[in-house]
């Protein structure tokens, strides 16, 4: 009893360590306390960032110094407890890398999220051991904002897009670096006699190079010789094209990442429909491409009795009610409806109303015909279920002729 089936065989669902692990990772959707703790932590992180920003205003720092100190001690205590609990419970993770009591924990310490958690508390303890500039240590606390990556899907999306696009971004960075070095060197050669101070060296000319290539153009230094101006014009035009490249790479990276996420969600939905469970991943991916998602609010009539039907529906989440005379039938996630009209080439046999808010996947009649032609088992399953339903339908109608 209490043992749960995962890759991590020693897991004991009743152990304090496992329950703590579940609590701090908010693994269960029906764990309001755990979710509340997560939200409080997010609020604490946000407050910390606000405090660091406001503390740089001298009057606020002086007037509220005691309160701010207590707040810092409170925050570090909470973050430290969180860090220790995460380190203690990481062995309960399903990730094989962290299972070993010693090496697993060492690996966990060096994982990106644990390093971020450590950076959030380390500056506080560091000042006791090494002499450090306090203002610097205070501003370093802004890094606590990174802790939000654990809670924010948007931040982790940015991280994964940057990682996935690292090669094109790296290539763009190299092109920009080459352009910067060439443009700064040439303009240095053209301008160093006319403006020996502003263009005293190639690194000095790079300040102009960056401002021009990025098209910011501060205008504090600019070429005055005809050759320098000619170079300046070329560099500006090149800058517009080249420095826009990373923005384009990131934009397409984000679009692709969002599409991938949507695909994975739809894939999981389709794979969980029992009717499709015998299909290979490739076939499921093909079906995903055919299905159109639709959200229905509670109480919405999705299918009207007597109306013509040109599509069927799969329920990926929520519950619907088939309004059979006398006794409604409830269908839930994994079930489908709206197939009888397509198979019998008739109007809808009953109305179907949502009981809860539902995520539905719509399959058009032509696509259903194609799928049934391509897969005998699928065709037989749908026909069998639809015949059983038709029989039940006819029975209820004969029982309640009114
Ligand atoms: P269709 O006739 O296209 O539209 C109404 C749908 O209700 C029907 O297809 C079936 O999918 C569904 N339905 C009808 N009778 C039953 C039943 N007895 N049990 C479950 N679903 C049903």
């Amino acid at each position: 009893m209490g043992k749960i089936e995962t890759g991590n065989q020693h897991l004991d669902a009743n152990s304090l360590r496992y329950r703590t692990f579940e609590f701090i990772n908010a693994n269960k959707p029906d764990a309001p306390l755990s979710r509340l703790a997560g939200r409080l932590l997010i609020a604490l992180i946000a407050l910390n960032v606000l405090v660091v920003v406001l503390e740089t205003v001298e009057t606020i720092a002086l007037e509220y110094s005691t309160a701010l100190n207590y707040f810092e001690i409170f925050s570090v205590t909470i973050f430290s407890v969180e860090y220790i609990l995460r380190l203690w419970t990481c062995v309960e993770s399903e990730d094989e890398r962290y299972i070993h009591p010693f090496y697993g924990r060492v690996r966990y310490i060096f994982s990106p999220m644990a390093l971020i958690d450590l950076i959030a508390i380390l500056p506080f303890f560091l000042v006791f051991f090494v002499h450090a500039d306090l203002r610097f240590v205070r501003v370093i606390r802004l890094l606590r904002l990174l802790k939000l990556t654990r809670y924010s899907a948007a931040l982790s999306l940015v991280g994964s897009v940057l990682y996935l696009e690292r090669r094109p971004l790296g290539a763009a960075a190299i092109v920009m670096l080459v352009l910067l070095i060439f443009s700064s060197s040439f303009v240095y050669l053209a301008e160093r006699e006319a403006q020996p101070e502003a263009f005293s060296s190639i690194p000095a000319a790079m300040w102009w190079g960056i401002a021009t290539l990025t098209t910011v153009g501060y205008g504090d230094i600019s070429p005055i010789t005809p050759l320098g101006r000619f170079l300046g014009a070329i560099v500006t035009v090149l800058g517009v094209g080249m420095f826009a490249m990373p923005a384009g790479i990131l934009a397409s990276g984000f679009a692709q990442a969002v599409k991938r996420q949507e695909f994975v969600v739809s894939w999981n939905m389709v794979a969980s429909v029992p009717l499709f469970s015998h299909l290979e991943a490739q076939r499921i991916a093909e079906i995903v491409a055919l299905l159109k998602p639709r959200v229905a609010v509670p109480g919405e009539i999705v299918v009207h009795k007597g109306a013509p039907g040109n599509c069927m529906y799969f329920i990926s989440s929520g519950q619907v009610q088939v309004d059979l005379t006398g006794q409604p039938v409830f269908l839930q996630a994994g079930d489908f409806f709206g197939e009888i009209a397509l198979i019998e080439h008739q109007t809808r046999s009953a109305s179907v109303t949502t009981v809860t808010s539902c995520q539905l996947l719509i399959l058009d009649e032509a696509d259903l015909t194609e799928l049934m032609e391509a897969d005998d088992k699928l065709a037989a399953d749908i026909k069998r279920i639809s015949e059983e339903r038709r029989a039940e339908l006819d029975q209820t109608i004969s029982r309640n002729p009114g």
Side-chain angles (χ1 to χ4, degrees):
M1 274 288 283
K3 296 270 177 204
I4 45 175
E5 292 288 314
T6 69
N8 192 347
Q9 287 308 319
H10 68 280
L11 288 189
D12 178 356
N14 291 324
S15 77
L16 177 65
R17 198 173 62 190
Y18 184 77
R19 275 182 289 146
T20 315
F21 174 79
E22 287 245 295
F23 183 79
I24 50 179
N25 288 291
N27 269 3
K28 287 187 180 158
D30 55 345
L33 257 183
S34 163
R35 275 216 308 273
L36 178 71
R39 289 203 181 127
L40 287 177
L41 260 179
I42 294 176
L44 187 64
I45 296 165
L47 260 178
N48 262 271
V49 173
L50 188 73
V51 163
V52 174
V53 171
L54 289 180
E55 241 182 7
T56 56
V57 181
E58 215 163 303
T59 47
I60 295 179
L62 285 177
E63 198 164 327
Y64 300 102
S65 69
T66 326
L68 290 174
N69 275 340
Y70 281 131
F71 178 71
E72 173 65 2
I73 292 169
F74 172 75
S75 306
V76 171
T77 311
I78 299 280
F79 291 151
S80 306
V81 170
E82 184 205 353
Y83 183 78
I84 291 166
L85 288 181
R86 284 193 190 281
L87 189 60
W88 175 50
T89 60
C90 71
V91 289
E92 302 284 351
S93 151
E94 280 182 28
D95 193 330
E96 297 276 330
R97 287 172 301 167
Y98 307 133
I99 289 176
H100 193 276
F102 178 72
Y103 297 111
R105 288 199 171 96
V106 172
R107 258 182 233 127
Y108 176 76
I109 288 176
F110 289 102
S111 68
M113 281 319 296
L115 284 175
I116 288 173
D117 286 342
L118 191 64
I119 289 171
I121 49 175
L122 211 56
F124 179 85
F125 297 109
L126 220 56
V127 285
F128 295 118
F129 302 107
V130 285
H131 182 72
D133 179 355
L134 268 184
R135 255 179 309 174
F136 177 72
V137 171
R138 279 201 194 113
V139 175
I140 279 276
R141 284 182 308 179
L142 275 179
L143 292 178
R144 284 176 190 167
L145 198 57
L146 291 179
K147 273 171 80 73
L148 286 183
T149 21
R150 181 173 272 123
Y151 303 99
S152 157
L155 276 182
S156 40
L157 184 67
V158 172
S160 72
V161 168
L162 284 177
Y163 180 74
L164 287 172
E165 301 296 328
R166 64 193 182 285
R167 286 203 183 87
L169 284 175
I174 289 174
V175 171
M176 289 186 295
L177 193 69
V178 169
L179 260 181
L180 176 66
I181 291 171
F182 273 117
S183 57
S184 309
S185 312
F186 285 134
V187 95
Y188 157 74
L189 292 176
E191 292 288 318
R192 72 182 158 164
E193 268 165 32
Q195 303 186 73
E197 277 198 13
F199 293 93
S200 58
S201 62
I202 293 178
M206 276 184 179
W207 170 243
W208 168 85
I210 287 185
T212 311
L213 274 170
T214 53
T215 71
V216 171
Y218 288 117
D220 52 349
I221 46 172
S222 53
I224 47 173
T225 64
L227 181 61
R229 287 190 167 164
F230 175 67
L231 284 172
I234 294 177
V235 170
T236 315
V237 174
L238 285 177
V240 174
M242 287 302 164
F243 274 68
M245 233 162 41
I249 293 169
L250 285 178
S252 80
F254 271 108
Q256 276 174 17
V258 170
K259 242 190 180 163
R260 257 195 310 274
Q261 268 183 358
E262 281 173 359
F263 178 81
V264 171
V265 172
S266 313
W267 200 95
N268 285 334
M269 283 180 191
V270 174
S272 67
V273 173
L275 203 61
F276 298 137
S277 58
H278 67 286
L279 298 178
E280 289 167 14
Q282 175 64 29
R283 286 287 290 150
I284 293 180
E286 283 165 21
I287 295 176
V288 169
L290 299 177
L291 296 171
K292 286 185 272 308
R294 177 183 158 188
V295 176
V297 292
E300 189 176 328
I301 305 174
V302 183
V303 162
H304 290 261
K305 183 176 178 179
N310 56 8
C311 64
M312 67 178 288
Y313 300 82
F314 292 91
I315 308 170
S316 53
S317 72
Q319 192 184 45
V320 301
Q321 167 183 321
V322 182
D323 302 323
L324 298 190
T325 2
Q327 53 176 115
V329 172
F330 293 95
L331 303 175
Q332 26 254 323
D335 290 331
F336 60 85
F337 61 89
E339 79 294 352
I340 296 182
L342 308 188
I343 289 175
E344 295 184 357
H345 302 291
Q346 301 250 352
T347 53
R348 297 293 191 193
S349 57
S351 288
V352 181
T353 315
T354 54
V355 178
T356 62
S357 128
C358 288
Q359 277 187 312
L360 304 171
L361 296 167
I362 304 176
L363 182 67
D364 284 336
E365 185 171 10
D367 293 328
L368 173 70
T369 314
E370 241 172 67
L371 276 180
M372 286 173 67
E373 275 168 9
D375 188 331
D376 291 342
K377 176 166 167 36
L378 187 77
D381 283 348
I382 294 184
K383 276 192 187 138
R384 180 180 45 78
I385 294 173
S386 120
E387 276 161 18
E388 283 167 13
R389 286 176 173 179
R390 165 56 77 191
E392 194 180 345
L393 201 65
D394 291 343
Q395 256 183 15
T396 52
I397 292 172
S398 61
R399 269 201 305 260
N400 306 283

